[in-house]
C-alpha cells in the first residue's frame, strides 16, 4: 500500500514516527540529489557516470512486466560503454532456459529460447527483456549472462544461488562493471521476510566490491500499467495515480537520484511518471 502523506490508520506511535521520518529523509535526499533524465539522449551523461564510477556492481530492480527498468539498463550500459568500460550484463533468467541462445547467440535463437518461447507467467519474458538482450548480441564489450536458478532443480535459497552465479562471472571478468536486472526484492540491500537477498550476499562479499559497495536502484512511478501476476491472475493491470514522496518532491517527469543509504532498502531511484507494460513474447 502506498500512503501519500504521513497519515496512517491507527498504529503504534513508534511505527508512525519511523514512517514519517523515512518519508522526510527520502524527500530531503530527492530535493538535494535528483536530476532530470532523458534516456533517449545519446550524449555522455557525466553526472550519472560520476555516480556509477565508484561502484563495481549496479543493480536495477523492477516490478516485472514493465518497460522502463530494462530501458534504463540499456541507457546505463550505453553510458558505461561510452566511458570506455566493459560490462557484465546479467538478467534474472534461468541459464538452463537460455542454453540454445548462449550456444549460438542471435535474434532467432533468442526468440526460440525456452524462456521466451514458453515464458514464466510473471512478466519477465516480455518485449522489454527481449529487446535488452537483443541490443547487445555480438557486442564484444558486453558479456551477457543469466543468473536465476533452474526452476526444476529444487533450489531452496534462490538468492544464494544467484550470488554464486554472479560471483563466478565477476571473477572471470574482473575488469568489467557488472549490471544486473532483477525483480525488486532481489536487489534490496536489507533482508526481506527474514531472508538474505542477492544484494545482501553481494554487499557482504568483500572480494567483489569496491569501498562504495553495491549501487541498488529502485524504479518508482506515479501511474500506468504493467503485465504481470496479481491476485486477479496474469494480465495487464492498471496502476491508478498515487502521489508519493517520489512523485511530489521534485518536478521532473523522469529523474535519477541517490538516496540516504540508511533510509531504506535501496540507495538510488530511477523515477518515471508513467509505467508501461512489457507484453509477453508468447503473445507476438
Amino acid at each position: 500500500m502506498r500512503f501519500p502523506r504521513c497519515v496512517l490508520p491507527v498504529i503504534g506511535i513508534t511505527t508512525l514516527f519511523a514512517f514519517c521520518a523515512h518519508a522526510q529523509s527520502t524527500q530531503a535526499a530527492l530535493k538535494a540529489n535528483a536530476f532530470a533524465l532523458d534516456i533517449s539522449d545519446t550524449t555522455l551523461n557525466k553526472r550519472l557516470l560520476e555516480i556509477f564510477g565508484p561502484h563495481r556492481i549496479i543493480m536495477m530492480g523492477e516490478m516485472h512486466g514493465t518497460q522502463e527498468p530494462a530501458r534504463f539498463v540499456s541507457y546505463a550500459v550505453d553510458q558505461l560503454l561510452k566511458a570506455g568500460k566493459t560490462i557484465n550484463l546479467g538478467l534474472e533468467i534461468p541459464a538452463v532456459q537460455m542454453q540454445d541462445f548462449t550456444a549460438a547467440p542471435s535474434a532467432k535463437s533468442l526468440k526460440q529460447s525456452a524462456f521466451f518461447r514458453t515464458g514464466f507467467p510473471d512478466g519477465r519474458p516480455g518485449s522489454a527483456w527481449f529487446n535488452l538482450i537483443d541490443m547487445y548480441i555480438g557486442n564484444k564489450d558486453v558479456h551477457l549472462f543469466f543468473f536465476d536458478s533452474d526452476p526444476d532443480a529444487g533450489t531452496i535459497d534462490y538468492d544464494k544461488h544467484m550470488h554464486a552465479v554472479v560471483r563466478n562471472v565477476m571473477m572471470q571478468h574482473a575488469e568489467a562493471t557488472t549490471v544486473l536486472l532483477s525483480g525488486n526484492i532481489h536487489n534490496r540491500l536489507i533482508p526481506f521476510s527474514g531472508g538474505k537477498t542477492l544484494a545482501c550476499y553481494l554487499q557482504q562479499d568483500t572480494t567483489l566490491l569496491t569501498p562504495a559497495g553495491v549501487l541498488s536502484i529502485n524504479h518508482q512511478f506515479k501511474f500506468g500499467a504493467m503485465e504481470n501476476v496479481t491476485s486477479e491472475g496474469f494480465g495487464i493491470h492498471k496502476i491508478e495515480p498515487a502521489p508519493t514522496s517520489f512523485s511530489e518532491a521534485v518536478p521532473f517527469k523522469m529523474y535519477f537520484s541517490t538516496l540516504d543509504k540508511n533510509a531504506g532498502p535501496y540507495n538510488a531511484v530511477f523515477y518515471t511518471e508513467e509505467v508501461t507494460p512489457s507484453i509477453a513474447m508468447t503473445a507476438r
Side-chain angles (χ1 to χ4, degrees):
M1 179 181 294
R2 297 188 190 180
F3 296 102
R5 299 180 299 275
C6 290
V7 178
L8 301 177
V10 177
I11 57 176
I13 188 67
T14 302
T15 303
L16 175 61
F17 177 81
F19 179 85
C20 292
H22 177 268
Q24 291 169 356
S25 174
T26 298
Q27 290 174 347
L30 294 174
K31 289 177 180 178
N33 303 317
F35 55 94
L37 204 59
D38 177 5
I39 60 174
S40 66
D41 186 352
T42 60
T43 60
L44 199 67
N45 190 327
K46 293 182 179 179
R47 190 167 182 181
L48 188 65
L49 286 171
E50 285 177 2
I51 295 171
F52 287 171
H55 299 91
R56 193 179 173 197
I57 302 174
I58 299 168
M59 302 182 75
M60 180 74 238
E62 69 165 20
M63 288 289 289
H64 291 323
T66 59
Q67 290 274 357
E68 286 69 24
R71 290 175 177 172
F72 176 80
V73 167
S74 67
Y75 175 77
V77 169
D78 286 348
Q79 287 292 319
L80 289 164
L81 291 172
K82 289 178 187 294
K85 305 289 186 179
T86 56
I87 311 296
N88 297 320
L89 176 56
L91 288 84
E92 184 198 349
I93 297 174
V96 68
Q97 295 189 343
M98 299 295 286
Q99 288 177 336
D100 291 343
F101 168 76
T102 303
S106 69
K108 182 178 180 180
S109 64
L110 180 61
K111 193 168 185 177
Q112 292 177 344
S113 67
F115 181 76
F116 286 106
R117 189 180 69 252
T118 58
F120 276 87
D122 64 0
R124 280 183 288 169
S127 59
W129 283 32
F130 182 92
N131 292 337
L132 175 62
I133 298 168
D134 185 44
M135 187 176 298
Y136 297 106
I137 294 174
N139 189 317
K140 64 180 180 59
D141 294 319
V142 178
H143 171 68
L144 285 163
F145 72 101
F146 311 102
F147 58 85
D148 198 4
S149 60
D150 180 352
D152 298 322
T155 302
I156 297 175
D157 190 335
Y158 290 99
D159 288 77
K160 187 175 183 179
H161 168 86
M162 291 178 183
H163 167 248
V165 175
V166 174
R167 190 180 201 282
N168 183 54
V169 169
M170 291 185 68
M171 296 297 284
Q172 291 182 24
H173 304 272
E175 77 293 344
T177 299
T178 297
V179 180
L180 306 176
L181 177 60
S182 69
N184 58 20
I185 299 298
H186 301 298
N187 76 311
R188 287 170 55 98
L189 293 167
I190 58 178
F192 180 75
S193 293
K196 288 184 180 180
T197 66
L198 171 59
C200 290
Y201 283 113
L202 290 170
Q203 188 82 334
Q204 295 167 6
D205 194 337
T206 56
T207 61
L208 297 180
L209 292 178
T210 61
V214 175
L215 183 65
S216 177
I217 309 164
N218 188 29
H219 178 221
Q220 288 284 334
F221 47 86
K222 187 174 182 179
F223 64 89
M226 55 187 68
E227 184 174 69
N228 54 16
V229 177
T230 70
S231 58
E232 300 173 356
F234 180 78
I236 295 179
H237 302 102
K238 187 176 181 181
I239 309 299
E240 298 294 340
T244 65
S245 296
F246 295 101
S247 65
E248 305 305 306
V250 292
F252 313 127
K253 292 183 181 296
M254 180 184 291
Y255 67 78
F256 188 90
S257 180
T258 53
L259 299 171
D260 181 350
K261 64 180 181 180
N262 298 315
Y266 311 101
N267 54 17
V269 61
F270 167 56
Y271 174 85
T272 59
E273 184 177 56
E274 183 176 9
V275 62
T276 55
S278 172
I279 304 302
M281 292 302 294
T282 52
R284 292 169 176 258

